[in-house]
Amino acid sequence: MSSYPRFYFSTLFVILFLWFQPLNASGVYNDFSSFFNSVDTSHVVTEFRLSDITFQHGHSHLFSAAFRGRVYSKTTVKFIIPYFALRSDELISFGFGDFAFNSTTMMKGDSLGVNGVFFRTDFRFPTGSKSLYPFSIHSLDGGCGIEVRRNLSLVYLKGAATYTFVGERCYEGDYLYSNYLVFAASVGIEIGKRSLFQLSGYNMNFRKNDEHWMFIPEVKNYLTENIEFSICGGFEIGKRDNRIFNSMVSVYLAFRFPSGNSQIE
């Protein structure tokens, strides 16, 4: 089977398997579908993502735009701007969520950044209103950690551990929020010359509240050397009343501005 039919059959499977009905949920939503960046040497990349999310009080659509680029040869930075349309109790709210920024700096690895150990930083800015909870908590958060990458022929492995310090901690009431630790792991397998299947798992442990487990399968396709398209689903397991969200389906498009030595994983 050629790469294109395999890509579209995989996409259909993801949509059918992950379209769950809304359940109960609580907590703060983090867009883990954007946690790991694609590995490339492009100087400037624009990213667009549209997601459909179900959670405790209703239904939401998320549109996010991101700008990613390399600083010098070892550091990649990314700035994310999310915009939500939130339907809750027959009311619809629109607005920006909390902006986010992250960076990875190679401490040891190869020139392309495919293999190596990286120092990672993550920040969340209080640009959104609490009326858009669980997508905005109105808290200035920051943290850091370690990310590792390993390429084994047709298999790409990534892992990370980060700790985030929360600016507005709340241990009681409707907006429980505290410092949290994230463990993340991802396995990518080539399914064609330009396609990749990736499965990622995340453990988000709030030090004073609860912990959450999220899983995100994704199918990527490099339409051209400079255009990447992907579709992914996501779901959280655990106690029904403690979930941050229940299911998520999103589509993603990235455009890499050409440079003289751009390469992708």
Side-chain angles (χ1 to χ4, degrees):
M1 181 181 293
S2 66
S3 61
Y4 285 102
R6 190 178 303 170
F7 167 74
Y8 290 116
F9 280 125
S10 300
T11 298
L12 180 61
F13 174 81
V14 169
I15 294 175
L16 293 177
F17 182 76
L18 292 172
W19 197 264
F20 297 106
Q21 294 299 315
L23 301 173
N24 291 326
S26 63
V28 177
Y29 177 81
N30 276 7
D31 187 13
F32 282 117
S33 58
S34 300
F35 186 86
F36 286 113
N37 292 328
S38 297
V39 179
D40 62 64
T41 59
S42 300
H43 292 296
V44 178
V45 181
T46 56
E47 304 178 356
F48 303 95
R49 184 180 296 275
L50 180 63
S51 302
D52 184 275
I53 307 162
T54 61
F55 59 101
Q56 179 184 8
H57 301 294
H59 203 81
S60 178
H61 298 285
L62 160 65
F63 174 77
S64 64
F67 304 91
R68 172 164 53 93
R70 290 176 67 89
V71 180
Y72 302 110
S73 61
K74 294 186 176 182
T75 299
T76 299
V77 297
K78 183 176 181 179
F79 185 68
I80 304 170
I81 303 173
Y83 187 87
F84 296 93
L86 176 64
R87 176 175 295 175
S88 176
D89 299 328
E90 298 183 352
L91 298 176
I92 299 178
S93 301
F94 300 88
F96 288 99
D98 294 333
F99 290 8
F101 172 87
N102 65 56
S103 70
T104 54
T105 300
M106 182 190 300
M107 297 188 295
K108 182 179 180 181
D110 56 37
S111 60
L112 297 179
V114 177
N115 300 284
V117 180
F118 300 78
F119 177 74
R120 179 184 177 111
T121 64
D122 293 272
F123 294 92
R124 183 174 183 142
F125 302 98
T127 50
S129 167
K130 277 190 176 181
S131 64
L132 291 174
Y133 184 86
F135 304 108
S136 173
I137 195 62
H138 203 67
S139 174
L140 176 61
D141 307 338
C144 61
I146 298 296
E147 181 176 326
V148 295
R149 303 171 187 168
R150 180 66 175 171
N151 177 18
L152 302 174
S153 185
L154 302 179
V155 179
Y156 301 93
L157 304 177
K158 298 177 183 178
T162 64
Y163 191 86
T164 298
F165 295 91
V166 170
E168 297 292 332
R169 304 174 193 179
C170 184
Y171 304 138
E172 298 179 349
D174 296 331
Y175 303 103
L176 298 178
Y177 202 43
S178 62
N179 296 347
Y180 59 88
L181 178 68
V182 172
F183 290 106
S186 175
V187 178
I189 302 174
E190 289 189 7
I191 56 176
K193 186 177 180 180
R194 290 182 172 270
S195 300
L196 181 77
F197 174 77
Q198 181 173 285
L199 178 62
S200 304
Y202 304 89
N203 174 257
M204 189 178 184
N205 191 316
F206 290 95
R207 309 309 292 167
K208 296 292 185 178
N209 299 329
D210 207 344
E211 70 172 340
H212 304 269
W213 288 89
M214 284 76 69
F215 296 91
I216 298 178
E218 181 175 13
V219 178
K220 297 183 178 182
N221 185 260
Y222 298 98
L223 302 178
T224 69
E225 182 180 352
N226 298 317
I227 299 177
E228 175 188 345
F229 171 83
S230 73
I231 184 168
C232 73
F235 60 96
E236 182 177 346
I237 63 175
K239 295 181 180 180
R240 176 173 175 169
D241 293 335
N242 293 337
R243 297 175 188 166
I244 297 174
F245 72 101
N246 300 290
S247 67
M248 177 270 295
V249 175
S250 72
V251 292
Y252 165 91
L253 184 68
F255 178 77
R256 296 172 173 81
F257 289 89
S259 60
N261 58 349
S262 296
Q263 297 186 48
I264 57 176
E265 66 177 16

